[in-house]
Amino acid sequence: MMVGMSAPTDDVPISAEPIRLGQFLKLAGLAEDGGHAKELLESGEVTVNGRTEDRRGAQLRAGDVVAVNGRSARPVTG
């Protein structure tokens, strides 16, 4: 990857809004399981729309961008 280039954001289909951040991290493959999601959140590695988020229950809506360790994903309804 070139310096200054960001990875593409993956669109992840969800069945209904809102979705909790902890659920979305697993669904998007950004966390292996609930325990891993909790660790990522507690260590400050998760951002939502560019802001650090530490609440597993934070509510996401379609179009919110979640980033973890250089990977990003956004929920989309379809």
Side-chain angles (χ1 to χ4, degrees):
M1 182 162 44
M2 293 176 53
V3 174
M5 299 288 289
S6 59
T9 300
D10 296 327
D11 287 335
V12 179
I14 60 172
S15 55
E17 291 182 283
I19 184 171
R20 290 195 310 273
L21 179 55
Q23 286 180 301
F24 183 75
L25 289 169
K26 294 180 287 182
L27 183 65
L30 298 172
E32 295 167 20
D33 54 35
H36 186 223
K38 183 178 179 183
E39 288 173 21
L40 291 170
L41 290 160
E42 288 177 349
S43 64
E45 295 180 60
V46 179
T47 63
V48 176
N49 299 328
R51 296 181 141 179
T52 302
E53 180 58 77
D54 62 1
R55 299 170 300 146
R56 273 196 329 200
Q59 303 288 301
L60 301 177
R61 303 242 174 230
D64 286 338
V65 176
V66 178
V68 180
N69 298 326
R71 293 180 57 207
S72 61
R74 73 179 146 239
V76 295
T77 54

